Amino acid sequence: MELIRGRVAEADPALEMATSHALLRRTSRGGPQHDALRIFRPTPMVAFGRSDANRPGFPAAGAACHDAGFTPVIRSAGGRAVACTSATLILDHVQHDPGAQGGMTARFDDFGALLAGVLRDLGIESQVGEVPGEFCPGAHSVSARGEVKLIGTAQRIVRDAWLFSSVVIFDDAPRLAPLLTTVYDALGIRFDPASVGSVATEAPNVTIDLLEAALTAAFDERFGLVEADWEPAVLDEAKATVADHHAEPQATER
């Protein structure tokens, strides 16, 4: 399986979302030889689910993101709003699978256990399960002690392939919690800022580089990773579809 590291743009989170989706489409068309794990540290953004964009408070939520210096974007995977900084690791795993539709729950169980195991190996008392009042609530979140959320997971399924996306909050919880409070208030969704945790708080001796290495090693042990570069065709497709991931209409040149 390919391992692709890093951002594709200096400061365009919408293009990052489009690129992961383009990877998914490539795998859908091309088969298992195009399975890939992408890992990157985003610039400050709030990634909204498409259902968020249909809520009456979405414009106010997007404005709050801009006011805080975060770019609002629409992600491909399901779920609710997630806030990230460069102290976040995003793992986007795409895999060819003719039975993709039927395996959703099993993937949540499997990868939730894998991610929680990595955190336990780093000395964090981690477990899988929803934290009361958490952002992007789900039964397969990874938390510390069931009290603060550290990793959120979501999926997107297309024909013969799936995307499993994991957002790992390494640090910046004090910056994320107030923003998420404003965003979720605007969307009219229950949220408890005390539910936002970070790996750095739980394991102060762990660096983000060490965390990335541990996560990569776990996937390498399972799938066998080979470092790879971006295919130009994937980047071209992402650029052609980036508008789908902007959280507001873009101005056009006159």
Side-chain angles (χ1 to χ4, degrees), residues 94-154:
V94 297
Q95 189 162 321
H96 186 80
D97 181 359
Q101 188 67 48
M104 178 177 282
T105 299
R107 283 190 296 275
F108 272 126
D109 290 339
D110 185 22
F111 290 114
L114 183 151
L115 294 166
V118 170
L119 296 187
R120 281 194 294 272
D121 288 344
L122 294 175
I124 298 171
E125 187 182 337
S126 61
Q127 62 187 63
V128 178
E130 185 172 340
V131 175
E134 68 179 15
F135 63 88
C136 192
H140 298 89
S141 300
V142 179
S143 71
R145 304 171 305 282
E147 297 174 1
V148 290
K149 184 169 182 172
L150 304 180
I151 304 177
T153 58

Short mmCIF file of all heavy atoms in Angstrom, two decimals, residues 94-154:
data_model
loop_
_atom_site.label_atom_id
_atom_site.label_comp_id
_atom_site.label_asym_id
_atom_site.label_seq_id
_atom_site.Cartn_x
_atom_site.Cartn_y
_atom_site.Cartn_z
N VAL A 94 -7.43 4.90 1.84
CA VAL A 94 -8.32 4.50 0.77
C VAL A 94 -7.97 3.08 0.34
O VAL A 94 -6.80 2.72 0.24
CB VAL A 94 -8.27 5.46 -0.43
CG1 VAL A 94 -8.74 6.84 -0.03
CG2 VAL A 94 -6.88 5.55 -1.03
N GLN A 95 -9.01 2.28 0.12
CA GLN A 95 -8.76 0.87 -0.22
C GLN A 95 -9.83 0.38 -1.19
O GLN A 95 -11.02 0.69 -1.05
CB GLN A 95 -8.75 0.01 1.04
CG GLN A 95 -8.29 -1.42 0.79
CD GLN A 95 -7.86 -2.11 2.08
OE1 GLN A 95 -7.25 -1.51 2.95
NE2 GLN A 95 -8.20 -3.39 2.19
N HIS A 96 -9.39 -0.39 -2.17
CA HIS A 96 -10.31 -1.03 -3.11
C HIS A 96 -11.00 -2.18 -2.40
O HIS A 96 -10.36 -2.99 -1.73
CB HIS A 96 -9.53 -1.56 -4.32
CG HIS A 96 -10.41 -2.10 -5.41
ND1 HIS A 96 -11.05 -1.29 -6.31
CD2 HIS A 96 -10.75 -3.37 -5.73
CE1 HIS A 96 -11.74 -2.03 -7.15
NE2 HIS A 96 -11.58 -3.30 -6.82
N ASP A 97 -12.34 -2.25 -2.55
CA ASP A 97 -13.10 -3.28 -1.83
C ASP A 97 -14.48 -3.43 -2.48
O ASP A 97 -15.36 -2.58 -2.27
CB ASP A 97 -13.25 -2.87 -0.36
CG ASP A 97 -14.00 -3.89 0.47
OD1 ASP A 97 -14.43 -4.91 -0.09
OD2 ASP A 97 -14.17 -3.66 1.68
N PRO A 98 -14.69 -4.49 -3.27
CA PRO A 98 -16.01 -4.68 -3.88
C PRO A 98 -17.14 -4.82 -2.86
O PRO A 98 -18.29 -4.59 -3.19
CB PRO A 98 -15.83 -5.98 -4.69
CG PRO A 98 -14.36 -6.04 -4.98
CD PRO A 98 -13.70 -5.48 -3.74
N GLY A 99 -16.81 -5.18 -1.63
CA GLY A 99 -17.82 -5.29 -0.57
C GLY A 99 -17.83 -4.11 0.36
O GLY A 99 -18.22 -4.24 1.53
N ALA A 100 -17.44 -2.94 -0.14
CA ALA A 100 -17.28 -1.76 0.71
C ALA A 100 -18.53 -1.41 1.49
O ALA A 100 -18.47 -1.07 2.67
CB ALA A 100 -16.83 -0.57 -0.14
N GLN A 101 -19.68 -1.49 0.86
CA GLN A 101 -20.92 -1.05 1.50
C GLN A 101 -21.25 -1.89 2.73
O GLN A 101 -21.70 -1.36 3.75
CB GLN A 101 -22.08 -1.12 0.50
CG GLN A 101 -23.37 -0.50 1.00
CD GLN A 101 -23.25 1.00 1.17
OE1 GLN A 101 -22.78 1.71 0.29
NE2 GLN A 101 -23.68 1.50 2.33
N GLY A 102 -20.97 -3.17 2.67
CA GLY A 102 -21.35 -4.04 3.77
C GLY A 102 -20.39 -4.09 4.93
O GLY A 102 -20.71 -4.65 5.97
N GLY A 103 -19.23 -3.49 4.79
CA GLY A 103 -18.22 -3.61 5.84
C GLY A 103 -18.03 -2.40 6.71
O GLY A 103 -17.03 -2.32 7.44
N MET A 104 -18.95 -1.45 6.67
CA MET A 104 -18.73 -0.18 7.37
C MET A 104 -18.53 -0.36 8.87
O MET A 104 -17.56 0.15 9.45
CB MET A 104 -19.88 0.79 7.10
CG MET A 104 -19.73 2.11 7.83
SD MET A 104 -21.03 3.31 7.45
CE MET A 104 -20.48 3.88 5.84
N THR A 105 -19.42 -1.08 9.52
CA THR A 105 -19.31 -1.24 10.97
C THR A 105 -18.05 -2.00 11.35
O THR A 105 -17.35 -1.63 12.32
CB THR A 105 -20.54 -1.97 11.52
OG1 THR A 105 -21.72 -1.19 11.23
CG2 THR A 105 -20.44 -2.16 13.03
N ALA A 106 -17.71 -3.02 10.59
CA ALA A 106 -16.51 -3.80 10.87
C ALA A 106 -15.26 -2.93 10.75
O ALA A 106 -14.32 -3.06 11.55
CB ALA A 106 -16.41 -4.99 9.92
N ARG A 107 -15.24 -2.02 9.78
CA ARG A 107 -14.08 -1.12 9.64
C ARG A 107 -14.00 -0.17 10.82
O ARG A 107 -12.90 0.09 11.34
CB ARG A 107 -14.17 -0.34 8.32
CG ARG A 107 -13.80 -1.16 7.10
CD ARG A 107 -13.67 -0.29 5.87
NE ARG A 107 -14.92 0.35 5.49
CZ ARG A 107 -15.86 -0.21 4.73
NH1 ARG A 107 -15.69 -1.45 4.30
NH2 ARG A 107 -16.94 0.45 4.40
N PHE A 108 -15.13 0.38 11.24
CA PHE A 108 -15.10 1.25 12.42
C PHE A 108 -14.53 0.50 13.62
O PHE A 108 -13.69 1.03 14.37
CB PHE A 108 -16.51 1.76 12.74
CG PHE A 108 -16.88 3.03 12.03
CD1 PHE A 108 -18.05 3.09 11.29
CD2 PHE A 108 -16.10 4.17 12.12
CE1 PHE A 108 -18.42 4.27 10.64
CE2 PHE A 108 -16.46 5.35 11.49
CZ PHE A 108 -17.63 5.40 10.74
N ASP A 109 -14.99 -0.73 13.83
CA ASP A 109 -14.49 -1.52 14.96
C ASP A 109 -13.00 -1.80 14.83
O ASP A 109 -12.23 -1.63 15.78
CB ASP A 109 -15.24 -2.85 15.04
CG ASP A 109 -16.70 -2.70 15.45
OD1 ASP A 109 -17.04 -1.65 16.05
OD2 ASP A 109 -17.48 -3.62 15.17
N ASP A 110 -12.59 -2.22 13.64
CA ASP A 110 -11.22 -2.63 13.39
C ASP A 110 -10.24 -1.47 13.56
O ASP A 110 -9.27 -1.55 14.32
CB ASP A 110 -11.12 -3.22 11.98
CG ASP A 110 -9.76 -3.79 11.68
OD1 ASP A 110 -9.01 -4.13 12.62
OD2 ASP A 110 -9.41 -3.91 10.48
N PHE A 111 -10.50 -0.38 12.86
CA PHE A 111 -9.56 0.73 12.91
C PHE A 111 -9.64 1.51 14.21
O PHE A 111 -8.65 2.08 14.66
CB PHE A 111 -9.76 1.65 11.70
CG PHE A 111 -9.32 1.02 10.41
CD1 PHE A 111 -10.23 0.71 9.42
CD2 PHE A 111 -7.99 0.69 10.19
CE1 PHE A 111 -9.83 0.11 8.24
CE2 PHE A 111 -7.57 0.09 9.03
CZ PHE A 111 -8.49 -0.20 8.04
N GLY A 112 -10.80 1.51 14.84
CA GLY A 112 -10.88 2.10 16.17
C GLY A 112 -9.97 1.38 17.14
O GLY A 112 -9.24 1.99 17.93
N ALA A 113 -10.00 0.04 17.08
CA ALA A 113 -9.12 -0.75 17.95
C ALA A 113 -7.66 -0.52 17.63
O ALA A 113 -6.82 -0.43 18.53
CB ALA A 113 -9.47 -2.23 17.81
N LEU A 114 -7.33 -0.43 16.33
CA LEU A 114 -5.94 -0.18 15.93
C LEU A 114 -5.45 1.16 16.48
O LEU A 114 -4.36 1.25 17.06
CB LEU A 114 -5.82 -0.22 14.41
CG LEU A 114 -4.43 -0.05 13.80
CD1 LEU A 114 -4.34 -0.80 12.47
CD2 LEU A 114 -4.08 1.42 13.56
N LEU A 115 -6.25 2.21 16.31
CA LEU A 115 -5.84 3.55 16.75
C LEU A 115 -5.74 3.61 18.27
O LEU A 115 -4.79 4.20 18.82
CB LEU A 115 -6.84 4.58 16.24
CG LEU A 115 -6.89 4.74 14.71
CD1 LEU A 115 -8.13 5.51 14.31
CD2 LEU A 115 -5.63 5.43 14.20
N ALA A 116 -6.69 3.02 18.97
CA ALA A 116 -6.63 3.01 20.44
C ALA A 116 -5.40 2.25 20.91
O ALA A 116 -4.77 2.63 21.91
CB ALA A 116 -7.90 2.39 21.01
N GLY A 117 -5.05 1.17 20.21
CA GLY A 117 -3.86 0.41 20.57
C GLY A 117 -2.58 1.22 20.44
O GLY A 117 -1.67 1.12 21.27
N VAL A 118 -2.50 2.04 19.38
CA VAL A 118 -1.32 2.91 19.22
C VAL A 118 -1.21 3.87 20.41
O VAL A 118 -0.12 4.05 20.97
CB VAL A 118 -1.41 3.69 17.90
CG1 VAL A 118 -0.33 4.78 17.84
CG2 VAL A 118 -1.28 2.75 16.70
N LEU A 119 -2.33 4.46 20.80
CA LEU A 119 -2.29 5.40 21.93
C LEU A 119 -1.93 4.69 23.23
O LEU A 119 -1.19 5.24 24.07
CB LEU A 119 -3.63 6.12 22.07
CG LEU A 119 -4.05 7.03 20.91
CD1 LEU A 119 -5.31 7.80 21.28
CD2 LEU A 119 -2.93 8.00 20.52
N ARG A 120 -2.44 3.49 23.43
CA ARG A 120 -2.08 2.75 24.65
C ARG A 120 -0.58 2.46 24.68
O ARG A 120 0.04 2.53 25.74
CB ARG A 120 -2.89 1.46 24.74
CG ARG A 120 -4.31 1.66 25.24
CD ARG A 120 -4.96 0.34 25.64
NE ARG A 120 -5.16 -0.54 24.49
CZ ARG A 120 -6.24 -0.52 23.71
NH1 ARG A 120 -7.20 0.35 23.95
NH2 ARG A 120 -6.34 -1.34 22.69
N ASP A 121 -0.02 2.13 23.53
CA ASP A 121 1.42 1.87 23.48
C ASP A 121 2.23 3.12 23.82
O ASP A 121 3.39 3.02 24.23
CB ASP A 121 1.82 1.38 22.08
CG ASP A 121 1.33 -0.05 21.81
OD1 ASP A 121 0.97 -0.75 22.77
OD2 ASP A 121 1.32 -0.45 20.63
N LEU A 122 1.63 4.29 23.66
CA LEU A 122 2.28 5.55 24.01
C LEU A 122 1.99 5.97 25.44
O LEU A 122 2.37 7.06 25.87
CB LEU A 122 1.84 6.65 23.04
CG LEU A 122 2.28 6.46 21.57
CD1 LEU A 122 1.66 7.55 20.69
CD2 LEU A 122 3.80 6.45 21.44
N GLY A 123 1.29 5.11 26.18
CA GLY A 123 1.04 5.38 27.60
C GLY A 123 -0.27 6.06 27.91
O GLY A 123 -0.47 6.54 29.04
N ILE A 124 -1.19 6.10 26.95
CA ILE A 124 -2.48 6.77 27.15
C ILE A 124 -3.55 5.71 27.42
O ILE A 124 -3.66 4.72 26.71
CB ILE A 124 -2.86 7.61 25.92
CG1 ILE A 124 -1.83 8.72 25.70
CG2 ILE A 124 -4.26 8.21 26.09
CD1 ILE A 124 -2.00 9.47 24.40
N GLU A 125 -4.35 5.94 28.43
CA GLU A 125 -5.45 5.03 28.77
C GLU A 125 -6.60 5.27 27.79
O GLU A 125 -7.56 5.99 28.08
CB GLU A 125 -5.90 5.27 30.21
CG GLU A 125 -6.92 4.26 30.73
CD GLU A 125 -7.37 4.58 32.13
OE1 GLU A 125 -6.64 5.27 32.86
OE2 GLU A 125 -8.48 4.13 32.50
N SER A 126 -6.48 4.67 26.62
CA SER A 126 -7.43 4.96 25.54
C SER A 126 -8.48 3.88 25.41
O SER A 126 -8.26 2.72 25.77
CB SER A 126 -6.68 5.12 24.22
OG SER A 126 -6.00 3.93 23.89
N GLN A 127 -9.62 4.27 24.85
CA GLN A 127 -10.70 3.33 24.61
C GLN A 127 -11.56 3.84 23.47
O GLN A 127 -11.48 5.01 23.08
CB GLN A 127 -11.56 3.15 25.86
CG GLN A 127 -12.26 4.41 26.35
CD GLN A 127 -12.93 4.19 27.69
OE1 GLN A 127 -12.29 3.92 28.70
NE2 GLN A 127 -14.26 4.31 27.70
N VAL A 128 -12.37 2.95 22.90
CA VAL A 128 -13.26 3.29 21.80
C VAL A 128 -14.67 3.48 22.33
O VAL A 128 -15.17 2.65 23.10
CB VAL A 128 -13.23 2.19 20.72
CG1 VAL A 128 -14.21 2.52 19.58
CG2 VAL A 128 -11.82 2.01 20.16
N GLY A 129 -15.30 4.56 21.92
CA GLY A 129 -16.66 4.82 22.37
C GLY A 129 -16.93 6.32 22.41
O GLY A 129 -16.01 7.13 22.50
N GLU A 130 -18.20 6.67 22.33
CA GLU A 130 -18.58 8.08 22.29
C GLU A 130 -18.36 8.76 23.64
O GLU A 130 -18.68 8.20 24.70
CB GLU A 130 -20.05 8.21 21.89
CG GLU A 130 -20.51 9.64 21.70
CD GLU A 130 -21.91 9.73 21.11
OE1 GLU A 130 -22.37 8.74 20.51
OE2 GLU A 130 -22.54 10.80 21.25
N VAL A 131 -17.80 9.95 23.60
CA VAL A 131 -17.64 10.80 24.78
C VAL A 131 -18.85 11.73 24.86
O VAL A 131 -19.20 12.37 23.86
CB VAL A 131 -16.34 11.63 24.69
CG1 VAL A 131 -16.23 12.61 25.84
CG2 VAL A 131 -15.13 10.71 24.63
N PRO A 132 -19.51 11.84 25.99
CA PRO A 132 -20.68 12.71 26.08
C PRO A 132 -20.36 14.14 25.65
O PRO A 132 -19.39 14.74 26.11
CB PRO A 132 -21.05 12.65 27.57
CG PRO A 132 -20.54 11.31 28.02
CD PRO A 132 -19.27 11.10 27.25
N GLY A 133 -21.15 14.67 24.73
CA GLY A 133 -20.99 16.05 24.29
C GLY A 133 -19.86 16.29 23.32
O GLY A 133 -19.52 17.44 23.05
N GLU A 134 -19.28 15.24 22.75
CA GLU A 134 -18.11 15.41 21.89
C GLU A 134 -18.45 16.04 20.54
O GLU A 134 -19.60 16.00 20.10
CB GLU A 134 -17.46 14.05 21.65
CG GLU A 134 -18.30 13.11 20.79
CD GLU A 134 -17.63 11.76 20.53
OE1 GLU A 134 -16.65 11.42 21.21
OE2 GLU A 134 -18.10 11.06 19.63
N PHE A 135 -17.41 16.60 19.88
CA PHE A 135 -17.58 17.05 18.50
C PHE A 135 -17.69 15.82 17.60
O PHE A 135 -17.18 14.75 17.90
CB PHE A 135 -16.40 17.92 18.06
CG PHE A 135 -15.06 17.23 18.05
CD1 PHE A 135 -14.62 16.55 16.94
CD2 PHE A 135 -14.22 17.29 19.16
CE1 PHE A 135 -13.39 15.91 16.92
CE2 PHE A 135 -12.98 16.65 19.15
CZ PHE A 135 -12.57 15.96 18.03
N CYS A 136 -18.40 15.98 16.49
CA CYS A 136 -18.60 14.88 15.53
C CYS A 136 -18.89 13.57 16.26
O CYS A 136 -18.10 12.62 16.18
CB CYS A 136 -17.39 14.73 14.61
SG CYS A 136 -17.68 13.65 13.18
N PRO A 137 -19.99 13.51 17.00
CA PRO A 137 -20.22 12.34 17.87
C PRO A 137 -20.37 11.04 17.10
O PRO A 137 -20.92 10.99 16.00
CB PRO A 137 -21.54 12.71 18.58
CG PRO A 137 -22.19 13.72 17.70
CD PRO A 137 -21.08 14.48 17.06
N GLY A 138 -19.83 9.98 17.70
CA GLY A 138 -19.92 8.66 17.09
C GLY A 138 -19.48 7.59 18.05
O GLY A 138 -18.67 7.82 18.95
N ALA A 139 -20.01 6.39 17.85
CA ALA A 139 -19.73 5.27 18.75
C ALA A 139 -18.30 4.76 18.63
O ALA A 139 -17.87 3.96 19.46
CB ALA A 139 -20.71 4.13 18.47
N HIS A 140 -17.55 5.22 17.62
CA HIS A 140 -16.20 4.69 17.40
C HIS A 140 -15.13 5.76 17.57
O HIS A 140 -14.03 5.63 17.04
CB HIS A 140 -16.12 4.05 16.02
CG HIS A 140 -17.05 2.88 15.87
ND1 HIS A 140 -18.35 3.03 15.43
CD2 HIS A 140 -16.89 1.56 16.15
CE1 HIS A 140 -18.93 1.85 15.41
NE2 HIS A 140 -18.09 0.94 15.86
N SER A 141 -15.43 6.81 18.30
CA SER A 141 -14.40 7.78 18.66
C SER A 141 -13.37 7.10 19.56
O SER A 141 -13.68 6.13 20.26
CB SER A 141 -15.01 8.98 19.39
OG SER A 141 -15.96 9.63 18.57
N VAL A 142 -12.16 7.64 19.56
CA VAL A 142 -11.11 7.14 20.46
C VAL A 142 -10.85 8.23 21.49
O VAL A 142 -10.58 9.38 21.13
CB VAL A 142 -9.83 6.78 19.69
CG1 VAL A 142 -8.76 6.28 20.65
CG2 VAL A 142 -10.12 5.73 18.63
N SER A 143 -10.92 7.85 22.74
CA SER A 143 -10.81 8.84 23.82
C SER A 143 -9.78 8.40 24.86
O SER A 143 -9.28 7.27 24.84
CB SER A 143 -12.17 8.99 24.52
OG SER A 143 -12.46 7.82 25.28
N ALA A 144 -9.49 9.31 25.75
CA ALA A 144 -8.72 9.00 26.95
C ALA A 144 -9.72 8.78 28.09
O ALA A 144 -10.49 9.70 28.43
CB ALA A 144 -7.76 10.13 27.29
N ARG A 145 -9.77 7.54 28.58
CA ARG A 145 -10.60 7.17 29.73
C ARG A 145 -12.10 7.36 29.49
O ARG A 145 -12.87 7.42 30.44
CB ARG A 145 -10.19 7.99 30.98
CG ARG A 145 -8.73 7.87 31.37
CD ARG A 145 -8.37 8.86 32.46
NE ARG A 145 -8.71 10.23 32.07
CZ ARG A 145 -7.98 10.96 31.22
NH1 ARG A 145 -6.88 10.47 30.68
NH2 ARG A 145 -8.36 12.19 30.90
N GLY A 146 -12.52 7.55 28.25
CA GLY A 146 -13.92 7.83 27.97
C GLY A 146 -14.33 9.23 28.36
O GLY A 146 -15.53 9.54 28.37
N GLU A 147 -13.34 10.11 28.62
CA GLU A 147 -13.64 11.45 29.13
C GLU A 147 -13.35 12.56 28.12
O GLU A 147 -14.09 13.55 28.06
CB GLU A 147 -12.82 11.71 30.40
CG GLU A 147 -13.16 10.77 31.54
CD GLU A 147 -12.24 10.95 32.73
OE1 GLU A 147 -11.35 11.82 32.67
OE2 GLU A 147 -12.41 10.22 33.72
N VAL A 148 -12.25 12.44 27.34
CA VAL A 148 -11.90 13.47 26.37
C VAL A 148 -11.57 12.80 25.04
O VAL A 148 -10.85 11.81 24.99
CB VAL A 148 -10.72 14.34 26.84
CG1 VAL A 148 -11.13 15.23 28.00
CG2 VAL A 148 -9.51 13.51 27.19
N LYS A 149 -12.11 13.35 23.98
CA LYS A 149 -11.92 12.77 22.65
C LYS A 149 -10.55 13.15 22.10
O LYS A 149 -10.15 14.31 22.13
CB LYS A 149 -13.02 13.27 21.71
CG LYS A 149 -12.98 12.66 20.31
CD LYS A 149 -14.25 12.99 19.55
CE LYS A 149 -14.28 12.38 18.17
NZ LYS A 149 -15.58 12.55 17.50
N LEU A 150 -9.86 12.15 21.56
CA LEU A 150 -8.54 12.35 20.97
C LEU A 150 -8.54 12.09 19.46
O LEU A 150 -7.78 12.72 18.73
CB LEU A 150 -7.50 11.44 21.62
CG LEU A 150 -7.36 11.55 23.14
CD1 LEU A 150 -6.29 10.58 23.64
CD2 LEU A 150 -7.02 12.97 23.56
N ILE A 151 -9.37 11.15 19.01
CA ILE A 151 -9.41 10.78 17.60
C ILE A 151 -10.87 10.61 17.16
O ILE A 151 -11.65 9.92 17.82
CB ILE A 151 -8.66 9.46 17.33
CG1 ILE A 151 -7.21 9.53 17.81
CG2 ILE A 151 -8.70 9.11 15.84
CD1 ILE A 151 -6.44 8.22 17.65
N GLY A 152 -11.19 11.26 16.05
CA GLY A 152 -12.48 11.05 15.42
C GLY A 152 -12.30 10.28 14.13
O GLY A 152 -11.29 10.44 13.43
N THR A 153 -13.25 9.42 13.79
CA THR A 153 -13.17 8.62 12.58
C THR A 153 -14.45 8.78 11.76
O THR A 153 -15.53 8.99 12.32
CB THR A 153 -12.94 7.13 12.89
OG1 THR A 153 -14.00 6.64 13.72
CG2 THR A 153 -11.61 6.92 13.61
N ALA A 154 -14.30 8.69 10.44
CA ALA A 154 -15.44 8.81 9.55
C ALA A 154 -15.13 8.05 8.26
O ALA A 154 -13.96 7.75 7.98
CB ALA A 154 -15.74 10.28 9.24
#
